[in-house]
């Protein structure tokens, strides 16, 4: 426990001290002088601008898109997961954006990474540097909503970074022939020149296709191309680039460094002579374009180009990039950066980190015509760069020491027709200490010569836009050299070239490839994890099935669901023809438990839909057809009758004759059918349940499961009756009977007919998960080994694992499909496989797929000081960080902030679902089994606290008044009166900010003291 100095004298238990800052009912209008508010505003200000010069030697991540896990989960829940999503159509690599974001919202970061890396092998790099505002984000449908578009780049970065920390190797698609069985055409020699994004992408896809002799040649002594040398570490760390190259190397692709075109006889012709059958040219533009007025000026004169400046900065600041021990360029005073592209802004923000006190970005055109993406410009504005538009450098002045002292600019005037014209009459002379030219790049002459027989004109190569093929049939190219300057465009160039190189190479050996490109997806050993399970004689390929509900309204829907990957399906419940139904409308509504949130992600739905309107004949004929197409899928026919032996046995025989794998007896429909003596009317009585199961057992040679209702006092009694009646297992549980909404005018919803009448309906969705989970666990503990098919609120792999640990063998899903569509099952499959795989690793401090948080350097440096992130305290944090950066080696400082990764090797066998079945049951029991001697208390992590005081308020008005609130820092202060109730943790908006730790002193409950009758009358008002 800790206390601020001003509270040290407070007596614990002094309720006036505890409630000093607690909300009170307002009795009068607020009266505070403006002068007082101005002072307070400065004290509490969190968004105060920090000038770029304070960033000297500080290469911490500055991307505004970067997200913590909390931020990623919040942002991903906003995504609409649109049909025919424009965001995907706007991505050069066609990332399945909605699917990877859906995985993130379910804490399935492996699944998200799998979707991303399948289409973009540099998915982490692109998540960090992609100009998303002009690509995927630019097409987001939420641009038309008040809250704005989704932060797609930040989500992409978060998921792939989390996957990186899992340290799982890439493998080829296990369904493809192994390398040893591929023909010799896959052993042809292939050379890729330049180890940048285009070549890494091309090499990755060639490796996935099975090519076994692919080599990338890189001119530098480090890998990554311009991603390493020219993008600063605060936007793209070298470890990110290395991670993606290592993933490529997992596929057998080799990288040779120190090989530059045109140097020591290394050329395209020499590669051809060395036996390379196909070559991909993925080099960057290595020569800067320099305005003639700067000819003859050197770095000693204060003149840099982006090609000389950024590599020096990165070598000195990116850990692991090289062993050259470079030093940052030593800048000071005023730096002018020429150009308005992304590279120019990288130079500008890097200049601050090299000592510049002021940076001006000068460019020829208007702001609206800048080539840089808004993300880059915004960072420069936030760091207080100055901007000089319409400025073309015309003269440079040097002092007596030969160092730059002034730059003169002429006005580049915009005309009425949108063109620009130089006006030499308008000039501006600006004092400057350094100039960094970022006016573009071209190809070096010796590289042009070494590319023969390929022609390079104007610094670039002409290629086929679709295939990446050049005029020379065995040479392909992509990236900067063909005019596609963004990383993601380069990645796609390499991707598409890989397929057409594959086609060329196979045809070269007389073999054919499919006419439509079929590039393999991203795979790892996780995808080989077995998630099948046997339930009695039934073998489920995976535990995910569709519940007997609206996703199974027709057999055609089940067919599509099986194609999407679902392991089993339960038909919509059908009955005898005499019991056919006709539904009312409206009948399926969003539940009220989500509050005033709309769109996908509803926590519940309520329905008053009856059983299937289709006949038994329809269902039986289609079950036969489905089994013929999907023999390995499990089909369970759901049937319902009134309490009649004849009816149940007749319908059972009809259903069994169609050839399903099992039956489900619907004894639990909570609305409509009960009034007909069916469903709930049967399922609430153990005698009726036992009888019905006996009747079905007499005539059914296949397994059957009784579907139970939660609308009973003790579901174990009903499950026991089903078992005694001969059921092979139970489905637990059906929907919960509810009344959802009554509007202000007293009309209920759903309102049916002109009279606007309603009835009690069944609530589904994750709002009922705790009810279903309790039912499953209680049945599993009561009837060990009795098979349970769980249903009720399963919407993720995490939720599935909860039910498996509670004793369920498989799960049935409905509401999650309401919120999305059938392909969501892939999220669950990837997620469950990864969760099982990680159990075979030493994942100490991990929570499923959630990596432990990495403390920022400033948090480690403040040495116990209570420094929240506002006002003067924020400035103190920045000062501590700045002092440390200036006193220590940049590379060592940056290396300390590299997140840890799991070991690549497994430490145990990967568990099966059967091995996880009921794993939590021995810890679930009666209240009397709980230990009231081993208590916990709340512990607040100041570095995560956002000073909102929610814990303080809830403890006061709903708990035990055991938290004080510091008026100076707004940190909550837990007192020894804490009883460990955990309410504070439950309302805290920041995950892991509050943890419950063992109590170190004995817990003595405060029993209270008797009060006089006038006790409260005598209290101060």
């Amino acid at each position: 426990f800790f206390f601020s100095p001003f509270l040290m004298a407070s007596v614990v238990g002094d309720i006036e001290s505890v409630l000093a800052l607690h909300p009170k009912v307002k009795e009068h209008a607020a009266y505070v002088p403006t002068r007082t508010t101005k002072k307070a505003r400065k004290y509490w200000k969190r968004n105060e601008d920090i000038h770029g010069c304070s960033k000297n030697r500080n290469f911490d991540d500055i991307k505004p898109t970067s997200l913590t896990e909390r931020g990623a989960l919040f942002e991903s829940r906003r995504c609409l997961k649109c049909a025919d999503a424009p965001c995907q159509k706007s991505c050069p690599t066609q990332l399945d954006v909605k699917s990877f974001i859906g995985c993130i919202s379910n804490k399935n970061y492996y699944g998200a990474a799998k979707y991303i890396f399948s289409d973009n092998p540099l998915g982490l790099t692109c998540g960090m540097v992609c100009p998303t505002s002009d690509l995927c984000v630019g097409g987001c449908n939420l641009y038309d909503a008040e809250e704005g578009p989704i932060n797609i780049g930040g989500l992409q970065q978060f998921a792939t970074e989390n996957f990186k920390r899992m340290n799982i190797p890439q493998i080829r698609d296990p369904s493809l022939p192994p390398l040893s069985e591929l023909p010799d055409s896959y052993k042809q020699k292939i050379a890729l020149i330049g180890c940048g994004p285009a070549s890494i992408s091309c090499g990755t896809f060639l490796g996935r296709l099975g090519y076994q002799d692919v080599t990338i040649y890189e001119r530098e002594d480090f890998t990554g191309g311009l991603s390493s040398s020219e993008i600063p570490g605060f936007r793209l760390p070298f470890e990110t680039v290395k991670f993606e190259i290592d993933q490529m190397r997992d596929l057998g692709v080799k990288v040779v460094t120190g090989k530059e075109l045109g140097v020591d006889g290394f050329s395209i012709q020499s590669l051809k002579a060395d036996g390379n059958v196909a070559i991909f040219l993925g080099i960057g533009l290595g020569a800067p374009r320099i305005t003639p007025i700067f000819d003859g000026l050197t770095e000693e004169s204060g003149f840099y180009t982006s090609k000389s400046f950024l590599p020096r900065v990165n070598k000195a600041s990116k850990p692991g990039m090289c062993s050259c021990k470079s030093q940052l360029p030593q800048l000071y005073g005023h730096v002018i950066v020429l150009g308005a592209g992304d590279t120019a802004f990288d130079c500008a923000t890097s200049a601050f980190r090299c000592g510049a006190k002021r940076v001006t970005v000068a460019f020829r055109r208007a702001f609206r015509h800048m080539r840089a993406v808004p993300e880059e410009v915004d960072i420069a504005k936030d760091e207080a760069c100055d901007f000089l538009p319409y400025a073309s450098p015309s003269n440079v002045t040097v002092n007596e020491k030969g160092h730059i002292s002034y730059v003169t600019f002429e006005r580049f005037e915009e005309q009425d027709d949108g063109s620009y014209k130089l006006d030499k009459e308008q000039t501006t002379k600006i004092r400057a200490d350094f100039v960094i030219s970022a006016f573009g790049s071209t190809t070096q002459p010796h590289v042009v010569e070494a590319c023969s027989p390929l022609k390079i004109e104007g610094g670039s190569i002409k290629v086929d836009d679709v295939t990446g093929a050049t005029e020379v049939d065995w040479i392909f190219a992509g990236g900067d050299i063909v005019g596609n300057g963004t990383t993601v465009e380069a990645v796609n160039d390499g991707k598409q070239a890989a397929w057409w190189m594959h086609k060329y190479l196979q045809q070269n050996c007389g073999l054919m490839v499919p006419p439509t490109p079929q590039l393999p997806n991203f795979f790892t050993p996780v995808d080989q994890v077995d998630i099948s399970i046997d339930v009695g004689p039934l073998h489920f390929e995976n535990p995910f099935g569709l519940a007997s509900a609206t996703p199974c309204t027709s057999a055609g829907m089940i067919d599509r669901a099986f194609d999407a990957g679902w392991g089993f399906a339960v038909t919509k419940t059908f009955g005898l023809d005499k019991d056919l139904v006709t539904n009312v409308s409206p009948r399926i509504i969003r539940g009220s438990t989500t509050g005033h949130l709309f769109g996908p992600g509803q926590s519940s739905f309520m329905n008053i839909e009856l059983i299937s309107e289709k006949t038994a004949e329809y269902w039986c004929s289609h079950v036969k057809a489905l089994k013929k197409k999907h023999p390995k899928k499990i089909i369970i026919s759901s049937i319902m009758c009134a309490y009649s032996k004849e009816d149940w046995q007749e319908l059972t025989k009809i259903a069994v004759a169609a050839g399903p794998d099992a039956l489900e007896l619907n004894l639990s429909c909570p609305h409509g059918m009960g009034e007909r003596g069916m469903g709930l009317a049967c399922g609430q009585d153990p005698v009726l349940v036992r009888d019905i199961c006996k009747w079905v057992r007499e005539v059914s040679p296949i397994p059957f499961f009784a579907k139970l209702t939660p609308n009973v006092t003790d579901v174990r009694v009903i499950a026991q009756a089903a078992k005694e009646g001969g059921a092979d297992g139970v489905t637990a549980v059906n929907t919960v009977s509810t009344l959802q909404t009554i509007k202000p005018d007293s009309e209920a919803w759903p309102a049916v007919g002109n009279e606007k009448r309603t009835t009690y309906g069944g609530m589904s969705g994750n709002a009922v998960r705790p009810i279903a989970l309790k039912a499953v666990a209680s049945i599993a503990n009561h009837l060990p080994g009795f098979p349970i098919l769980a249903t009720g609120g399963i919407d993720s792999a995490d939720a599935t694992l909860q039910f498996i640990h509670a004793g369920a063998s498989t799960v049935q899903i409905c509401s999650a499909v309401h919120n999305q569509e059938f392909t969501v099952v892939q999220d669950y499959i990837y997620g469950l496989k990864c969760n099982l795989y990680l159990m075979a690793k030493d994942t100490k401090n991990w929570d499923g797929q959630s990596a432990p948080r990495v403390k920022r350097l400033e948090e480690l440096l403040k040495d116990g000081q209570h420094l929240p992130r506002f006002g003067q305290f924020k400035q103190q944090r920045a000062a501590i960080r700045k002092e440390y950066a200036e006193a220590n080696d940049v590379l060592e400082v940056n290396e300390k902030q590299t997140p840890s990764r799991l070991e690549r090797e497994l430490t145990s066998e990967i568990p099966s679902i059967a091995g996880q079945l009921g794993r939590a049951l021995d810890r679930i029991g009666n209240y009397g089994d709980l230990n009231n001697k081993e208590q916990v208390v709340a512990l607040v992590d100041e570095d995560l606290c956002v000073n909102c005081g929610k814990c303080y308020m809830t403890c006061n008005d709903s708990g035990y008044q055991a938290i004080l609130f510091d008026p100076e820092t707004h940190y909550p202060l837990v007192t020894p009166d804490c009883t460990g109730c955990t309410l504070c943790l439950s309302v805290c908006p920041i995950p892991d900010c509050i943890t419950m730790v063992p109590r170190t002193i004995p817990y003595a409950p405060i029993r209270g003291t008797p009060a006089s009758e006038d006790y409260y009358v005598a209290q101060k008002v």
Side-chain angles (χ1 to χ4, degrees):
F1 307 98
F2 59 83
F3 300 89
S4 70
F6 111 97
L7 285 173
M8 275 298 212
S10 295
V11 178
V12 174
D14 178 359
I15 195 64
E16 291 185 7
S17 296
V18 171
L19 298 178
L21 298 177
H22 194 68
K24 298 175 178 65
V25 175
K26 192 175 173 183
E27 297 180 355
H28 306 284
Y31 174 80
V32 178
T34 301
R35 183 176 63 179
T36 303
T37 301
K38 285 182 176 180
K39 185 176 180 181
R41 185 173 64 209
K42 183 177 181 181
Y43 183 89
W44 300 106
K45 193 172 180 61
R46 289 182 182 269
N47 63 343
E48 187 172 1
D49 295 332
I50 296 178
H51 195 280
C53 65
S54 67
K55 294 287 186 179
N56 186 25
R57 302 171 65 84
N58 184 340
F59 287 82
D60 293 352
D61 183 358
I62 61 169
K63 297 183 297 297
T65 55
S66 295
L67 295 167
T68 62
E69 182 172 35
R70 175 187 179 274
L73 292 172
F74 180 86
E75 187 70 1
S76 62
R77 282 196 294 269
R78 289 204 306 123
C79 179
L80 302 180
K81 290 87 176 177
C82 305
D84 200 28
C87 53
Q88 179 172 345
K89 293 174 177 295
S90 303
C91 173
T93 61
Q94 299 295 296
L95 281 191
D96 190 346
V97 176
K98 71 181 181 68
S99 293
F100 90 67
I101 292 180
C103 289
I104 293 173
S105 68
N106 285 330
K107 295 187 74 172
N108 175 17
Y109 308 136
Y110 172 79
K114 181 174 171 66
Y115 276 117
I116 293 165
F117 287 125
S118 287
D119 283 308
N120 184 343
L122 281 82
L124 177 50
T125 290
C126 288
M128 291 181 169
V129 304
C130 235
T132 55
S133 61
D134 194 41
L135 300 172
C136 52
V137 173
C140 180
N141 287 330
L142 281 174
Y143 253 119
D144 275 350
E146 297 89 340
E147 62 269 31
I150 299 297
N151 177 6
I152 297 173
L155 290 170
Q156 182 174 328
Q157 175 186 341
F158 171 79
T160 47
E161 275 193 314
N162 214 77
F163 170 75
K164 177 168 76 78
R165 296 185 65 185
M166 295 179 188
N167 201 3
I168 302 173
Q170 180 174 194
I171 63 172
R172 291 181 64 241
D173 183 347
S175 69
L176 295 175
L179 296 179
S180 59
E181 296 179 10
L182 290 173
D184 288 344
S185 57
Y186 286 87
K187 298 177 183 177
Q188 297 178 86
K189 202 169 183 180
I190 306 169
L192 284 64
I193 307 175
C195 193
S199 293
I200 298 169
S201 175
C202 185
T204 297
F205 280 106
L206 289 171
R208 290 179 188 175
L209 285 164
Y211 288 94
Q212 298 156 56
D213 196 354
V214 181
T215 304
I216 296 179
Y217 296 94
E218 166 58 43
R219 72 172 183 173
E220 301 287 356
D221 292 329
F222 52 85
T223 56
L226 301 187
S227 294
S228 296
S229 63
E230 294 195 15
I231 301 180
F234 49 81
R235 289 184 59 222
L236 182 63
F238 179 73
E239 63 170 272
T240 293
V241 179
K242 181 179 182 300
F243 158 68
E244 290 166 337
I245 293 173
D246 287 344
Q247 284 201 131
M248 177 189 70
R249 283 172 160 155
D250 288 338
L251 300 171
V253 178
K254 300 177 285 293
V255 180
V256 177
T257 56
K259 300 289 286 185
E260 181 176 359
L261 282 172
V263 176
D264 296 331
F266 182 66
S267 66
I268 284 181
Q269 293 287 18
S270 70
L271 287 169
K272 182 70 171 175
D274 195 35
N276 287 282
V277 181
I279 291 174
F280 177 80
L281 197 59
I283 59 175
L285 305 179
R289 297 185 188 273
I290 303 176
T291 304
I293 63 170
F294 297 108
D295 285 344
L297 294 180
T298 64
E299 293 180 11
E300 288 71 25
S301 308
F303 178 73
Y304 292 86
T305 68
S306 61
K307 295 293 180 183
S308 62
F309 178 68
L310 289 174
R312 278 192 59 184
V313 172
N314 291 340
K315 288 178 181 179
S317 62
K318 286 188 174 184
M321 179 171 150
C322 67
S323 56
C324 52
K325 298 296 182 183
S326 297
Q327 296 297 313
L328 290 172
Q330 299 300 302
L331 306 185
Y332 54 85
H334 184 203
V335 176
I336 294 178
V337 177
L338 304 176
D342 295 339
T343 300
F345 284 95
D346 282 339
C347 291
T349 48
S350 296
F352 278 129
R353 287 153 179 80
C354 296
K357 299 300 182 183
R358 181 182 165 210
V359 176
T360 298
V361 181
F363 46 96
R364 296 186 176 106
R365 299 179 185 272
F367 268 102
R368 64 184 182 280
H369 292 153
M370 284 193 299
R371 291 184 295 109
V373 297
E375 293 90 334
E376 288 262 26
V377 179
D378 288 344
I379 291 172
K381 286 194 295 187
D382 290 343
E383 296 196 351
C385 283
D386 294 325
F387 296 87
L388 184 63
Y390 306 109
S392 178
S394 59
N395 188 47
V396 59
T397 304
V398 297
N399 59 23
E400 64 279 3
K401 295 181 180 179
H403 200 280
I404 291 173
S405 58
Y406 291 93
V407 178
T408 302
F409 294 90
E410 295 174 341
R411 177 82 173 181
F412 212 55
E413 194 73 63
E414 185 176 5
Q415 308 301 299
D416 291 344
D417 62 359
S419 64
Y420 286 86
K421 182 179 179 181
L422 190 64
D423 184 353
K424 295 187 177 183
E425 297 301 317
Q426 298 187 68
T427 62
T428 302
K429 188 175 183 180
I430 299 177
R431 183 183 295 277
D433 298 291
F434 294 90
V435 171
I436 304 173
S437 175
F439 274 152
S441 308
T442 187
T443 307
Q444 306 99 309
H446 67 277
V447 173
V448 173
E449 184 178 346
C451 286
S452 176
L454 202 59
K455 294 180 181 178
I456 298 180
E457 299 176 352
S460 63
I461 300 170
K462 290 183 179 180
V463 295
D464 185 288
D465 290 340
V466 174
T467 65
T470 68
E471 59 188 359
V472 182
D473 62 358
W474 46 274
I475 302 177
F476 298 75
D480 277 349
I481 196 69
V482 304
N484 289 331
T486 66
T487 299
V488 70
E489 289 172 337
V491 170
N492 200 54
D493 287 349
K495 176 182 179 179
Q496 65 189 43
W499 176 260
W500 296 102
M501 291 174 75
H502 169 57
K503 182 176 182 179
Y504 170 81
L505 290 163
Q506 294 306 305
Q507 289 179 345
N508 192 48
C509 294
L511 301 174
M512 300 300 292
V513 300
T516 303
Q518 297 178 8
L519 291 166
N521 285 326
F522 175 76
F523 286 87
T524 77
V526 169
D527 299 296
Q528 297 177 306
V529 172
D530 182 7
I531 57 170
S532 66
I533 187 167
D534 295 329
V535 181
L538 306 178
H539 179 72
F540 294 79
E541 65 179 47
N542 67 58
F544 302 107
L546 292 176
S548 176
T550 50
C552 295
T553 294
S554 70
M557 295 168 72
I558 295 175
D559 178 41
R560 287 191 288 112
F562 283 159
D563 288 341
W566 293 86
F568 71 100
V570 187
T571 68
K572 195 90 159 66
T573 301
F574 60 90
L576 296 170
D577 286 354
K578 69 185 182 70
D579 294 322
L580 283 172
V581 302
T582 300
N583 279 302
V584 298
S585 65
R587 62 181 179 274
I588 305 172
I589 67 168
R590 59 186 292 273
S592 60
T593 59
T594 315
H596 303 294
L597 299 177
F598 300 89
Q602 295 298 311
S603 66
S604 68
F605 293 88
M606 192 274 271
N607 81 89
I608 52 174
E609 180 157 303
L610 303 178
I611 64 174
S612 177
E613 295 177 323
K614 294 179 171 59
T615 64
E617 182 181 10
Y618 166 89
W619 279 112
C620 290
S621 65
H622 282 275
V623 165
K624 284 183 180 179
L626 286 169
K627 282 302 296 182
K628 185 173 184 179
K629 180 182 176 182
H630 305 282
K632 294 184 178 180
K633 303 289 186 178
I634 297 295
I635 299 179
I636 301 174
S637 290
S638 176
I639 59 176
M640 178 190 286
C641 294
Y643 184 65
S644 164
K645 180 177 181 179
E646 292 74 17
D647 287 358
W648 275 106
Q649 293 194 337
E650 178 186 355
L651 186 56
T652 298
K653 291 175 183 177
I654 293 171
V656 168
D661 298 282
L663 301 177
E664 184 175 87
L665 314 186
N666 189 335
L667 305 175
S668 49
C669 182
H671 47 266
M673 304 310 295
E675 298 169 19
R676 302 180 181 207
M678 302 179 179
L680 191 71
C682 298
Q684 289 180 323
D685 189 330
V687 175
L688 273 58
V689 170
R690 187 181 300 109
D691 288 347
I692 293 170
C693 289
K694 283 182 178 179
W695 298 337
V696 173
R697 182 78 288 162
E698 289 174 3
V699 295
S700 175
I702 64 175
F704 70 87
F705 302 86
K707 188 169 186 178
L708 308 184
T709 175
N711 304 296
V712 292
T713 302
D714 190 347
V715 72
R716 294 175 299 177
V717 175
I718 309 299
Q720 178 77 45
K723 182 179 182 182
E724 292 171 356
D728 295 274
V730 293
T731 298
V733 286
N734 209 324
T735 55
V736 178
S737 185
T738 61
L739 179 65
Q740 283 291 321
T741 302
I742 298 178
K743 298 181 180 180
D745 63 359
S746 79
E747 180 185 304
W749 180 250
V752 179
N754 293 333
E755 295 183 2
K756 306 296 183 183
R757 300 187 67 84
T758 194
T759 187
Y760 306 109
M763 184 174 72
S764 63
N766 59 29
V768 306
R769 185 190 304 158
I771 298 170
L773 198 61
K774 186 231 178 184
V776 169
S778 60
I779 294 169
N781 263 328
H782 183 64
L783 301 172
F786 191 50
I788 303 171
L789 314 184
T791 184
I794 299 102
D795 63 353
S796 66
D798 275 2
T800 299
L801 197 56
Q802 291 181 50
F803 278 92
I804 291 171
H805 285 161
S809 301
T810 67
V811 293
Q812 298 180 15
I813 296 170
C814 167
S815 294
V817 179
H818 291 342
N819 274 316
Q820 193 51 40
E821 29 76 24
F822 287 143
T823 62
V824 74
V825 72
Q826 291 299 321
D827 171 4
Y828 307 157
I829 290 170
Y830 300 154
L832 183 58
K833 286 185 174 184
C834 185
N835 288 344
L836 293 173
Y837 184 88
L838 291 178
M839 290 180 188
K841 285 198 169 201
D842 182 7
T843 54
K844 184 179 180 182
N845 297 326
W846 281 60
D847 178 18
Q849 295 187 37
S850 299
R853 190 181 80 91
V854 178
K855 281 190 173 288
R856 290 174 288 189
L857 184 59
E858 63 176 60
E859 297 171 8
L860 301 173
L861 295 175
K862 64 187 183 67
D863 194 26
Q865 298 180 67
H866 303 311
L867 300 177
R869 292 185 179 84
F870 58 77
Q872 66 186 32
F873 304 110
K874 182 178 180 180
Q875 293 173 359
Q876 285 178 256
R877 279 178 175 259
I880 293 171
R881 175 67 178 86
K882 183 173 184 289
E883 181 182 358
Y884 183 83
E886 293 176 348
N888 290 273
D889 180 76
V890 172
L891 285 172
E892 292 179 5
V893 171
N894 293 344
E895 193 166 13
K896 286 182 179 179
Q897 299 182 84
T898 302
S900 62
R901 299 173 68 185
L902 296 175
E903 294 295 328
R904 177 159 282 200
E905 295 74 22
L906 302 182
T907 57
S908 62
E909 289 188 5
I910 300 169
S912 64
I913 291 181
Q916 295 296 303
L917 205 59
R919 184 179 168 189
L921 291 177
D922 62 349
R923 295 188 294 278
I924 302 172
N926 297 322
Y927 185 88
D929 298 330
L930 306 180
N931 189 330
N932 65 4
K933 304 296 183 185
E934 299 171 355
Q935 299 279 352
V936 295
V937 292
L939 180 66
V940 178
D941 185 337
E942 287 189 8
D943 291 320
L944 289 173
C945 181
V946 295
N947 319 103
C948 65
K950 296 300 294 183
C951 55
Y952 165 69
M953 292 184 287
T954 195
C955 187
N956 283 336
D957 284 3
S958 300
Y960 295 84
Q961 299 83 54
I963 297 179
L964 302 174
F965 199 52
D966 192 315
E968 295 178 1
T969 64
H970 274 189
Y971 277 134
L973 311 168
V974 182
T975 76
D977 285 342
C978 176
T979 67
C981 74
T982 319
L983 188 57
C984 56
L985 182 153
S986 301
V987 302
C988 180
I990 308 299
D992 301 324
C993 178
I994 299 178
T995 52
M996 306 308 293
V997 299
R999 189 182 186 93
T1000 57
I1001 57 176
Y1003 173 57
I1006 300 175
R1007 304 299 185 184
T1009 56
S1012 68
E1013 185 175 336
D1014 296 327
Y1015 178 79
Y1016 292 102
V1017 176
Q1019 297 298 307
K1020 293 180 181 179
V1021 178

